[in-house]
Amino acid sequence: MTESLPPIELTPPDIGAYRDGNTGIDHVTTLESGRPGPHAVIVSLIHGNEIGGAVAMDRLFRMGIKPSRGRLTLVFANTASYQSFDAERPYASRFVDEDMNRVWSPDVLDGPRNSAELRRARQLRPVFDAADVILDLHSMTADTPPLTLCGRTDRARALARRLGYPAWIVSDEGHAAGRRVIDYADFAKPDGAEPDGRRTAILVECGQHWRAETALVALESCMRFLLAQEMVDPSLADRHIRPHPDPQRTVEVTEAVTAETDDFFFDQPYVGMEVIPAAGTVLGRDGARRIVTPYDDCVLIMPARRPKSGQTAVRLGRIVS
């Protein structure tokens, strides 16, 4: 049976005008304020089919965004996969050779492996090395409510709270398959373990990949992020910040369920952020292995569409605040 595709409500913007930038790295532009302040980096297109972030970043350029202090760098990351986006096969352009959000560890970046994503990551590495704070824009396969991933540091969790939205904040260890941008270098070091304790990175999952709302969440996240850094006039930010009635809730991931076989399936069509009331509830099966909730009120975080062996199938978490 042919799988039906979600509606594609977004049009991928033409980012050709931003290719040359001003940094010597394709599709990377730094905007200077001329005043002291942090170096903030906003990243889109770590995955080439997550076009909502590109739409939001294109909008930032078109509105002539300029930081009121410090420096702001805008990065279109996996442009090779993005250029291959095809609305008839929208899942195919997630990456060219491998997931670009699993390569951000020194042993991989400095190692002998080679791929389109690794070559691009090595180009972008100096940008992240120079950053004080990073916002990484993503989207999701399922129609899951927006959420912020903040790793395990208190400072990233605090930044997510300062943004005030999305309502869900998820504290996690990442993936067995490799390290994400937010796990890179000092950004993932425990609080107090790096010199000034300020380097901070968060990842916002803005919604379903191709919904129009996802691009609005991405742009709002950018504005909230810049406002938290005191880098944008509140009157400009307020035009893109909407009221959200739901209070923020923080979930701590207690385990990531990694598929051990290619025969992994869920018993229900979970989309993510479901709260399963009872411990021992069967979620699905991985070959002969049953996947069950380990405790009451277990939150399912970003269940994978078609998990393969070695990939994260779902993360399980507790609501802590």
Side-chain angles (χ1 to χ4, degrees):
M1 184 174 66
T2 303
E3 180 182 14
S4 62
L5 294 173
I8 298 180
E9 301 170 355
L10 294 172
T11 300
D14 181 358
I15 62 172
Y18 314 125
R19 177 174 179 174
D20 291 343
N22 62 359
T23 63
I25 305 172
D26 283 358
H27 292 101
V28 178
T29 300
T30 294
L31 306 168
E32 299 276 359
S33 70
R35 298 180 56 210
H39 181 194
V41 175
I42 300 177
V43 189
S44 68
L45 296 179
I46 286 286
H47 298 127
N49 65 343
E50 299 184 4
I51 61 181
V55 172
M57 196 172 292
D58 176 60
R59 183 73 183 278
L60 292 178
F61 275 113
R62 289 177 182 274
M63 70 175 64
I65 194 76
K66 184 178 178 182
S68 55
R69 70 181 189 120
R71 289 182 290 159
L72 171 62
T73 297
L74 303 177
V75 178
F76 296 100
N78 199 343
T79 53
S81 63
Y82 176 67
Q83 299 297 353
S84 71
F85 181 79
D86 179 355
E88 298 296 319
R89 301 174 61 247
Y91 296 111
S93 59
R94 180 175 171 84
F95 52 78
V96 177
D97 296 322
E98 64 176 314
D99 191 331
M100 195 177 182
N101 217 26
R102 303 291 183 271
V103 302
W104 293 95
S105 59
D107 60 327
V108 175
L109 292 168
D110 295 329
R113 279 175 44 198
N114 189 28
S115 69
E117 279 70 27
L118 265 171
R119 290 191 295 273
R120 181 60 170 161
R122 288 162 181 153
Q123 286 181 333
L124 296 177
R125 189 178 186 182
V127 178
F128 300 137
D129 284 338
D132 296 310
V133 59
I134 294 173
L135 169 64
D136 188 13
L137 298 171
H138 285 255
S139 56
M140 299 172 279
T141 300
D143 205 1
T144 306
L147 58 92
T148 302
L149 296 172
C150 62
R152 287 295 192 193
T153 68
D154 291 341
R155 61 189 183 276
R157 187 181 299 191
L159 175 58
R161 287 176 177 158
R162 284 203 301 278
L163 265 61
Y165 179 79
W168 288 102
I169 299 171
V170 177
S171 175
D172 71 334
E173 294 283 2
H175 300 272
R179 295 175 72 81
R180 306 162 295 187
V181 169
I182 65 170
D183 305 320
Y184 175 62
D186 291 345
F187 295 100
K189 283 188 177 179
D191 298 273
E194 52 112 356
D196 55 15
R198 70 178 184 178
R199 301 190 80 206
T200 307
I202 59 173
L203 183 162
V204 176
E205 298 280 4
C206 300
Q208 203 283 330
H209 291 320
W210 309 301
R211 285 188 62 204
E213 171 66 14
T214 298
L216 296 178
V217 173
L219 181 60
E220 181 173 351
S221 297
C222 292
M223 288 301 181
R224 288 176 177 269
F225 173 73
L226 293 173
L227 199 57
Q229 306 305 314
E230 300 177 352
M231 294 178 72
V232 67
D233 189 315
S235 64
L236 173 61
D238 286 348
R239 297 176 204 166
H240 307 282
I241 291 176
R242 302 166 296 173
H244 298 282
D246 294 334
Q248 286 186 303
R249 290 185 287 178
T250 301
V251 178
E252 287 189 350
V253 172
T254 60
E255 63 182 277
V257 178
T258 301
E260 296 177 356
T261 74
D262 288 337
D263 186 25
F264 190 109
F265 64 91
F266 292 103
D267 282 1
Q268 301 291 332
Y270 298 116
V271 298
M273 309 319 293
E274 292 91 349
V275 180
I276 309 301
T281 301
V282 176
L283 301 175
R285 288 167 175 77
D286 183 13
R289 178 174 66 129
R290 292 196 317 161
I291 308 301
V292 301
T293 53
Y295 40 76
D296 293 346
D297 296 327
C298 179
V299 183
L300 309 189
I301 300 157
M302 295 178 65
R305 169 173 159 262
R306 289 180 178 173
K308 297 185 188 231
S309 178
Q311 295 179 344
T312 302
V314 66
R315 282 165 279 186
L316 308 178
R318 295 180 189 271
I319 298 173
V320 295
S321 67

